[in-house]
Structure formats: C-alpha cells, structure tokens
Amino acid sequence: KYILIDKGRLAGIEKDMPVVAFGNILVGKIVEVFDNFSKVLLITSTNSKTPALIQESRTEGLIEGKQENTLSLDLIPKDIKVEKDQTVITSGAEGIFPKGLLIGKISLVESSEKEIFQKITVESVIKIGELERVFIIKKPK
C-alpha cells in the first residue's frame, strides 16, 4: 500500500506531491513527510482514488486501487465505447496530479443492462517490486 523514499522535508518534499517513475508513469503521492524520508501512497493501494481519463475517448472516470497491479476505472457510463488496451492517464481534475501521467492499460470491460456504469479493470504499468528510482513533482513556487 505504501513505500518509503529517502527524501523528506529537508529536500523540499511536501505532502500531496506526485510521485512518478521514468516515462511519466504515476506511482502515487506523498502522504506523510519526515525530515529525511517520506511515505508514498501507491496508486494500487485500496486507499487510493485518482481522477483519470481514457486517452483515446477523453472520457473521465475515477481510478481506484484494488490489488497488486490491478486498478478499477469507475464512473464510466455504459453507453461509452471502451475497449481493451486503451490507455488510462491522469485527468488533472483534483489539482494534485498533472494531466497526462500514465496510469495503465484497460485489461477487462464488463457491461450489464442492470448497471449504469461499466466495470473496467486497468492493469497498472508500474511494477512496484521492480521500482528502483522515483521522481517527485514539486509544485512551482
């Protein structure tokens, strides 16, 4: 659910700063800051909710962590055409994450007549166990 990084308040790190991997891939956000290290809430955590959009259709939804590298994309109406392998990126709507950070690829789409929204599974492109370096996006002053 969380990782610790070896930079903290003394390096200018602040709460809610986005954490990304090489290639502008979203890892998570800073949730707690100490002098020499910080705690990062991973995008894949069940406590994580991030405004997102499907890159191809520009349809906005909400990414929620599920397990390991699996995410769900919620609030996508069933009348919107969604296909496997479409790209999901941050929408920038909440003001924490800049628009356009890569989240993952759609791996499963389920639609039911009884439901208003589709059930969409997204595979995160980040492999947390293989992560060696991350970058913190600092807010301009």
Side-chain angles (χ1 to χ4, degrees):
K1 292 186 177 191
Y2 300 93
I3 59 172
L4 295 177
I5 59 170
D6 64 353
K7 298 290 179 202
R9 193 174 295 108
L10 298 176
I13 304 300
E14 297 173 14
K15 188 175 184 220
D16 287 336
M17 285 183 167
V19 179
V20 297
F22 181 77
N24 286 334
I25 301 168
L26 182 61
V27 173
K29 71 177 178 180
I30 303 289
V31 290
E32 214 171 338
V33 183
F34 302 90
D35 285 345
N36 294 305
F37 68 97
S38 300
K39 187 175 181 181
V40 177
L41 174 67
L42 299 172
I43 185 85
T44 53
S45 168
T46 53
N47 299 334
S48 177
K49 292 178 179 28
T50 306
L53 58 86
I54 300 170
Q55 188 170 11
E56 291 79 1
S57 67
R58 311 311 281 178
T59 304
E60 294 193 36
L62 187 68
I63 280 285
E64 291 188 61
K66 290 295 174 200
Q67 57 192 339
E68 292 277 323
N69 276 9
T70 307
L71 308 161
S72 70
L73 179 58
D74 299 326
L75 306 177
I76 305 293
K78 66 180 174 187
D79 62 333
I80 302 291
K81 185 174 168 86
V82 179
E83 296 177 6
K84 188 176 185 226
D85 292 328
Q86 286 183 314
T87 303
V88 179
I89 60 174
T90 54
S91 70
E94 87 294 359
I96 292 176
F97 302 110
K99 189 174 188 174
L101 295 177
L102 180 60
I103 294 173
K105 296 273 187 190
I106 293 173
S107 59
L108 181 65
V109 180
E110 298 176 70
S111 191
S112 164
E113 287 298 318
K114 297 175 185 171
E115 301 291 329
I116 298 171
F117 300 112
Q118 299 178 62
K119 188 174 180 180
I120 301 170
T121 303
V122 176
E123 197 70 28
S124 174
V125 290
I126 201 75
K127 305 282 186 268
I128 300 302
E130 299 171 10
L131 210 52
E132 291 184 19
R133 290 194 172 170
V134 295
F135 303 91
I136 310 301
I137 300 175
K138 292 185 176 182
K139 295 174 177 71
K141 301 239 177 194

